[in-house]
Amino acid sequence: MSWDPRRLPSQAGKTFVVTGAGRGIGYFVAEQLAEAGAHVILTTRGDTAALDSIRSRVPGASLDHVTLELGSLESIRRAASTLSGPIDVLINNAGKTGGSRHREVTDDGLEIMVGTNAYGPFALTALLLPRITGRVVNLGSLSTRLARADLSDLEQARGRYSLSKAYAYSKHGVHAFAFELDRRLRASSSPVSSLLAHPGFALDGGASPRPGITDRNSAAQRLAERLMPAQGKDHGAWPVVRAAIDPDAAGGQFYGPSRSLFGAPVLTTPVAQSADPAFGAEFWRLAEAATGTPFPV
Ligand SMILES: NC(=O)c1ccc[n+]([C@@H]2O[C@H](COP(=O)([O-])OP(=O)(O)OC[C@H]3O[C@@H](n4cnc5c(N)ncnc54)[C@H](OP(=O)(O)O)[C@@H]3O)[C@@H](O)[C@H]2O)c1
């Protein structure tokens, strides 16, 4: 079926949780869902400017806020217990996209990229799953095409640390989690489905301006971003929103831009490694052990 990201079906009556919605792609996912009439719970690390921005553009927007730090299992548990009502769709958008060239760890001693981007959403989803009625959408990445993951040393405890490898490994973990979750949900005949989306290459520079949200980088940097083969983060949100609400989308699918880095949101193909069931099962074992969070499916 054709899909127009500018004309979304009404989401009135549905509740979405969008992590990392204070800026970037998560902000635009939340804004687009609010425009479609959804009740949107934005998680941020404390900043609530995004809610004011959405309210100024979408009169009557139904919004809530929960604080979530994915680099802390304690914060994840606190956020999960605050999110008490039924959730139609959980969108695990938040992710660490930059950092130190030296190996750092989360509050719980996990390598910071894998801990924040892969194990954090795993733990949050495990805790929320009994309250989710529709879909879980995770944020994948083309970076999985650039490095093969080594599951025997996913947190790079051995050898020389590489930040770009750490990011790619974390996103292999996200892919593995999304596809393994889909397999497990189907096997248990759950009504919940798990999908994956990636935004291509999305930058603030090309996005529709949102004061206080898209202008955090310098004007010169945003100008340079507009000259890159990328799309704005507003369009980067499109595959995520499609995976979350297209009635024809199904568990196990992966949405991304039609021209890889940019374009209309379409079905796309993941790299073979992290879509492999054996890889997914091993990631699952590692994630349960690292987070001490048994998954309910
Ligand atoms: N942009 C791209 O081209 C691209 C490509 C592939 C995949 N992705 C993925 O898409 C997602 C969003 O990317 P983006 O471009 O919007 O990135 P971004 O502008 O850097 O925003 C990242 C979001 O994640 C939140 N976050 C970061 N670390 C966190 C932590 N420890 N705990 C809780 N929240 C945290 C940030 O919150 P703060 O505001 O508090 O820092 C922010 O809301 C990420 O998962 C990223 O890996 C992006």
Coordinates of all heavy atoms in Angstrom, one line a residue, residues 181-240:
L181 N 13.1 -10.4 19.2 CA 11.8 -10.1 19.9 C 10.6 -10.5 19.0 O 9.7 -11.1 19.5 CB 11.8 -8.6 20.3 CG 10.5 -8.2 21.0 CD1 10.2 -8.9 22.3 CD2 10.6 -6.6 21.3
D182 N 10.7 -10.2 17.7 CA 9.7 -10.6 16.8 C 9.5 -12.1 16.8 O 8.3 -12.6 16.9 CB 10.0 -10.0 15.4 CG 9.0 -10.5 14.4 OD1 7.8 -10.2 14.5 OD2 9.3 -11.3 13.5
R183 N 10.6 -12.8 16.7 CA 10.5 -14.3 16.6 C 9.8 -14.8 17.9 O 9.0 -15.7 17.9 CB 11.9 -14.9 16.4 CG 12.4 -14.7 15.0 CD 13.8 -15.5 14.8 NE 14.9 -14.9 15.5 CZ 15.7 -13.9 14.9 NH1 15.5 -13.6 13.7 NH2 16.7 -13.4 15.6
R184 N 10.2 -14.2 19.0 CA 9.7 -14.7 20.3 C 8.2 -14.4 20.5 O 7.4 -15.2 21.0 CB 10.5 -14.2 21.5 CG 11.9 -14.9 21.6 CD 12.7 -14.3 22.7 NE 14.0 -14.9 22.7 CZ 14.5 -15.6 23.7 NH1 13.8 -15.6 24.9 NH2 15.7 -16.2 23.7
L185 N 7.8 -13.2 20.1 CA 6.4 -12.8 20.2 C 5.6 -13.7 19.3 O 4.5 -14.1 19.7 CB 6.3 -11.3 19.8 CG 6.9 -10.3 20.7 CD1 7.0 -8.9 20.1 CD2 6.1 -10.2 22.0
R186 N 6.0 -14.0 18.1 CA 5.2 -14.8 17.2 C 5.1 -16.2 17.8 O 4.0 -16.8 17.8 CB 5.9 -14.9 15.9 CG 5.7 -13.7 15.0 CD 6.4 -13.9 13.7 NE 6.7 -12.7 13.0 CZ 6.6 -12.5 11.7 NH1 6.2 -13.5 11.0 NH2 6.9 -11.4 11.2
A187 N 6.2 -16.7 18.3 CA 6.2 -18.1 18.9 C 5.3 -18.2 20.1 O 4.7 -19.3 20.3 CB 7.6 -18.5 19.3
S188 N 5.1 -17.1 20.8 CA 4.2 -17.1 21.9 C 2.8 -16.6 21.6 O 2.0 -16.4 22.5 CB 4.8 -16.3 23.1 OG 4.9 -15.0 22.7
S189 N 2.5 -16.5 20.2 CA 1.2 -16.0 19.7 C 0.8 -14.7 20.4 O -0.4 -14.4 20.6 CB 0.1 -17.0 20.0 OG 0.4 -18.2 19.4
S190 N 1.8 -13.8 20.7 CA 1.5 -12.5 21.3 C 0.8 -11.6 20.2 O 1.2 -11.6 19.1 CB 2.8 -11.9 21.8 OG 2.6 -10.5 22.1
P191 N -0.1 -10.7 20.7 CA -0.7 -9.7 19.7 C 0.3 -8.6 19.5 O 0.1 -7.7 18.6 CB -1.9 -9.2 20.5 CG -1.6 -9.4 21.9 CD -0.7 -10.6 22.0
V192 N 1.4 -8.5 20.2 CA 2.4 -7.4 20.1 C 3.4 -7.8 19.0 O 3.7 -9.0 18.8 CB 3.2 -7.2 21.4 CG1 4.2 -6.1 21.3 CG2 2.2 -7.0 22.6
S193 N 3.8 -6.8 18.2 CA 4.8 -7.0 17.1 C 6.0 -6.1 17.3 O 5.9 -5.0 17.9 CB 4.2 -6.9 15.8 OG 3.5 -5.7 15.6
S194 N 7.1 -6.6 16.8 CA 8.4 -5.8 16.9 C 8.9 -5.5 15.5 O 9.0 -6.4 14.6 CB 9.4 -6.7 17.6 OG 10.7 -6.2 17.5
L195 N 9.1 -4.2 15.3 CA 9.6 -3.7 14.0 C 10.9 -2.9 14.2 O 11.1 -2.4 15.3 CB 8.6 -2.9 13.3 CG 7.2 -3.5 12.9 CD1 6.2 -3.4 14.1 CD2 6.7 -3.0 11.6
L196 N 11.6 -2.7 13.1 CA 12.8 -1.9 13.1 C 12.7 -0.8 12.1 O 12.0 -1.0 11.1 CB 14.0 -2.9 12.8 CG 15.4 -2.4 12.9 CD1 15.7 -2.1 14.4 CD2 16.4 -3.5 12.4
A197 N 13.3 0.4 12.4 CA 13.4 1.4 11.4 C 14.7 2.1 11.5 O 15.4 2.1 12.5 CB 12.3 2.5 11.7
H198 N 15.2 2.7 10.3 CA 16.4 3.5 10.4 C 16.1 4.8 9.6 O 15.3 4.8 8.6 CB 17.6 2.8 9.9 CG 17.7 2.8 8.4 ND1 18.4 3.7 7.7 CD2 17.3 1.9 7.5 CE1 18.4 3.5 6.4 NE2 17.7 2.4 6.2
P199 N 16.7 5.9 10.0 CA 16.4 7.2 9.4 C 17.3 7.6 8.2 O 17.2 8.7 7.8 CB 16.7 8.2 10.6 CG 17.8 7.5 11.3 CD 17.6 6.0 11.2
G200 N 18.2 6.7 7.8 CA 19.1 7.0 6.7 C 20.2 7.9 7.4 O 20.8 7.5 8.4
F201 N 20.5 9.0 6.8 CA 21.5 10.0 7.3 C 20.6 11.3 7.6 O 20.2 11.9 6.6 CB 22.6 10.2 6.3 CG 23.7 11.1 6.8 CD1 24.0 11.2 8.2 CD2 24.5 11.8 6.0 CE1 25.0 12.0 8.7 CE2 25.6 12.6 6.4 CZ 25.8 12.7 7.8
A202 N 20.4 11.6 8.8 CA 19.4 12.7 9.1 C 20.1 13.7 10.1 O 20.7 13.3 11.1 CB 18.2 12.1 9.8
L203 N 20.0 14.9 9.7 CA 20.7 16.0 10.4 C 19.7 17.1 10.7 O 18.7 17.3 10.0 CB 21.8 16.6 9.5 CG 22.9 15.5 9.2 CD1 23.8 16.1 8.1 CD2 23.7 15.2 10.4
D204 N 20.0 17.9 11.7 CA 19.2 19.0 12.1 C 19.2 20.1 11.0 O 18.2 20.8 10.8 CB 19.7 19.7 13.4 CG 19.1 19.0 14.6 OD1 18.0 18.4 14.5 OD2 19.8 19.0 15.7
G205 N 20.4 20.3 10.3 CA 20.5 21.4 9.4 C 19.4 21.4 8.3 O 18.9 22.5 8.0
G206 N 19.0 20.3 7.8 CA 18.0 20.3 6.7 C 16.6 20.2 7.3 O 15.6 20.1 6.5
A207 N 16.4 20.2 8.6 CA 15.0 20.0 9.1 C 14.3 21.3 9.2 O 14.9 22.4 9.2 CB 15.2 19.4 10.5
S208 N 12.9 21.2 9.2 CA 12.1 22.4 9.4 C 12.5 23.0 10.8 O 12.6 22.2 11.8 CB 10.7 22.1 9.4 OG 10.3 21.4 8.3
P209 N 12.8 24.3 10.9 CA 13.3 24.8 12.1 C 12.3 24.7 13.3 O 11.1 25.0 13.1 CB 13.6 26.3 11.8 CG 13.3 26.5 10.4 CD 12.7 25.3 9.8
R210 N 12.8 24.3 14.4 CA 12.0 24.3 15.7 C 12.9 25.0 16.7 O 13.9 24.4 17.2 CB 11.7 22.9 16.1 CG 10.9 22.1 15.2 CD 9.4 22.6 15.1 NE 8.6 21.7 14.3 CZ 8.4 21.9 13.0 NH1 9.0 22.9 12.4 NH2 7.7 21.1 12.3
P211 N 12.6 26.3 17.0 CA 13.4 27.0 18.0 C 13.7 26.3 19.3 O 12.7 25.8 19.9 CB 12.7 28.3 18.2 CG 11.8 28.5 17.0 CD 11.4 27.1 16.5
G212 N 14.9 26.2 19.7 CA 15.3 25.6 20.9 C 15.5 24.1 20.7 O 15.9 23.4 21.7
I213 N 15.1 23.5 19.6 CA 15.2 22.1 19.4 C 16.2 21.8 18.2 O 17.1 21.0 18.4 CB 13.8 21.5 19.0 CG1 12.7 21.9 20.0 CG2 13.9 20.0 18.8 CD1 12.9 21.3 21.4
T214 N 16.0 22.4 17.1 CA 16.9 22.1 15.9 C 18.0 23.1 15.8 O 18.8 22.9 14.8 CB 16.0 22.1 14.6 OG1 15.5 23.4 14.5 CG2 15.0 21.1 14.6
D215 N 18.1 24.1 16.6 CA 19.2 25.1 16.5 C 20.2 25.0 17.6 O 20.8 26.0 17.9 CB 18.6 26.5 16.4 CG 17.6 26.7 17.6 OD1 17.5 25.9 18.5 OD2 16.9 27.8 17.6
R216 N 20.5 23.8 18.1 CA 21.5 23.6 19.1 C 22.9 23.7 18.6 O 23.8 24.0 19.3 CB 21.2 22.4 19.9 CG 19.8 22.4 20.6 CD 19.5 21.3 21.5 NE 18.1 21.3 22.0 CZ 17.6 20.6 22.9 NH1 18.4 19.7 23.6 NH2 16.4 20.6 23.3
N217 N 23.1 23.3 17.3 CA 24.4 23.4 16.7 C 24.6 24.9 16.2 O 23.6 25.6 16.0 CB 24.6 22.4 15.6 CG 24.6 21.0 16.1 OD1 25.0 20.7 17.2 ND2 24.1 20.1 15.2
S218 N 25.8 25.3 15.9 CA 26.0 26.6 15.4 C 25.4 26.8 14.0 O 25.2 25.8 13.3 CB 27.5 26.9 15.3 OG 28.1 26.1 14.2
A219 N 25.1 28.0 13.6 CA 24.5 28.3 12.3 C 25.4 27.8 11.2 O 25.0 27.3 10.2 CB 24.3 29.8 12.2
A220 N 26.8 28.0 11.4 CA 27.7 27.5 10.4 C 27.6 26.0 10.2 O 27.6 25.5 9.1 CB 29.1 27.9 10.8
Q221 N 27.5 25.3 11.3 CA 27.4 23.8 11.2 C 26.1 23.4 10.5 O 26.1 22.5 9.7 CB 27.5 23.2 12.6 CG 27.6 21.7 12.6 CD 27.9 21.1 13.9 OE1 28.4 21.8 14.8 NE2 27.6 19.8 14.1
R222 N 25.0 24.1 10.8 CA 23.8 23.7 10.2 C 23.8 24.0 8.7 O 23.2 23.2 7.9 CB 22.6 24.5 10.9 CG 22.2 23.8 12.2 CD 21.1 24.5 12.9 NE 21.6 25.6 13.7 CZ 21.0 26.8 13.7 NH1 20.0 27.1 12.9 NH2 21.5 27.8 14.4
L223 N 24.5 25.1 8.3 CA 24.6 25.4 6.9 C 25.4 24.2 6.2 O 25.0 23.7 5.2 CB 25.3 26.7 6.7 CG 25.5 27.1 5.3 CD1 24.2 27.3 4.6 CD2 26.3 28.4 5.2
A224 N 26.5 23.8 6.9 CA 27.3 22.7 6.3 C 26.5 21.5 6.2 O 26.6 20.7 5.2 CB 28.6 22.5 7.1
E225 N 25.6 21.2 7.2 CA 24.8 20.0 7.2 C 23.8 20.0 6.0 O 23.5 19.0 5.4 CB 24.0 19.9 8.5 CG 24.9 19.5 9.7 CD 24.1 19.4 11.0 OE1 22.8 19.7 11.0 OE2 24.7 19.1 12.0
R226 N 23.4 21.2 5.6 CA 22.4 21.3 4.5 C 23.1 20.9 3.1 O 22.4 20.6 2.2 CB 21.8 22.7 4.4 CG 20.7 22.9 5.4 CD 19.7 24.0 4.9 NE 20.3 25.3 5.0 CZ 20.3 26.0 6.1 NH1 19.8 25.5 7.2 NH2 20.8 27.2 6.1
L227 N 24.4 21.0 3.1 CA 25.1 20.6 1.8 C 25.5 19.1 1.8 O 26.0 18.7 0.8 CB 26.4 21.5 1.7 CG 26.2 23.0 1.8 CD1 27.5 23.7 1.9 CD2 25.3 23.5 0.6
M228 N 25.2 18.4 2.8 CA 25.5 17.0 2.8 C 24.4 16.1 2.2 O 23.3 16.5 2.1 CB 25.7 16.5 4.3 CG 26.9 17.2 4.9 SD 27.1 16.5 6.6 CE 28.6 17.3 7.1
P229 N 24.8 14.9 1.7 CA 23.8 14.0 1.2 C 22.9 13.4 2.3 O 23.1 12.2 2.6 CB 24.6 12.9 0.5 CG 25.9 12.9 1.2 CD 26.1 14.3 1.8
A230 N 22.1 14.2 2.9 CA 21.4 13.8 4.1 C 20.0 14.4 4.0 O 19.7 15.1 3.0 CB 22.1 14.3 5.3
Q231 N 19.1 14.0 4.9 CA 17.8 14.7 5.0 C 17.7 15.3 6.4 O 18.4 15.0 7.3 CB 16.7 13.7 4.7 CG 16.7 12.5 5.7 CD 15.6 11.4 5.2 OE1 14.8 11.6 4.3 NE2 15.6 10.3 5.9
G232 N 16.7 16.1 6.6 CA 16.4 16.7 7.9 C 15.9 15.6 8.8 O 15.4 14.6 8.4
K233 N 16.0 15.9 10.1 CA 15.6 14.9 11.1 C 14.0 14.8 11.1 O 13.5 13.7 11.5 CB 16.1 15.2 12.5 CG 17.6 15.1 12.5 CD 18.2 14.9 13.9 CE 19.7 14.8 13.8 NZ 20.4 14.4 15.0
D234 N 13.3 15.8 10.6 CA 11.9 15.6 10.4 C 11.6 14.5 9.4 O 10.7 13.7 9.7 CB 11.2 17.0 10.0 CG 12.0 17.7 8.8 OD1 13.0 17.2 8.4 OD2 11.5 18.7 8.4
H235 N 12.3 14.4 8.3 CA 12.1 13.3 7.4 C 12.7 12.1 7.9 O 12.2 11.0 7.6 CB 12.7 13.7 6.0 CG 11.9 14.8 5.3 ND1 12.1 15.2 4.0 CD2 11.0 15.7 5.8 CE1 11.3 16.2 3.7 NE2 10.6 16.5 4.8
G236 N 13.8 12.2 8.7 CA 14.4 11.0 9.3 C 13.4 10.3 10.2 O 13.5 9.1 10.4
A237 N 12.4 11.0 10.7 CA 11.4 10.4 11.6 C 10.4 9.6 10.8 O 9.7 8.7 11.4 CB 10.7 11.6 12.3
W238 N 10.3 9.8 9.5 CA 9.2 9.2 8.7 C 9.2 7.6 8.7 O 8.2 7.0 9.0 CB 9.3 9.6 7.2 CG 8.8 11.0 7.0 CD1 8.2 11.9 7.9 CD2 8.9 11.8 5.8 NE1 7.9 13.1 7.3 CE2 8.3 13.0 6.0 CE3 9.4 11.5 4.5 CZ2 8.2 14.0 5.0 CZ3 9.3 12.4 3.5 CH2 8.7 13.7 3.8
P239 N 10.4 7.0 8.6 CA 10.4 5.5 8.6 C 9.9 5.0 10.0 O 9.3 3.9 10.1 CB 11.8 5.1 8.3 CG 12.4 6.3 7.6 CD 11.8 7.5 8.2
V240 N 10.3 5.8 11.0 CA 10.0 5.3 12.4 C 8.5 5.4 12.6 O 7.8 4.5 13.1 CB 10.7 6.3 13.4 CG1 10.5 5.7 14.8 CG2 12.2 6.4 13.1

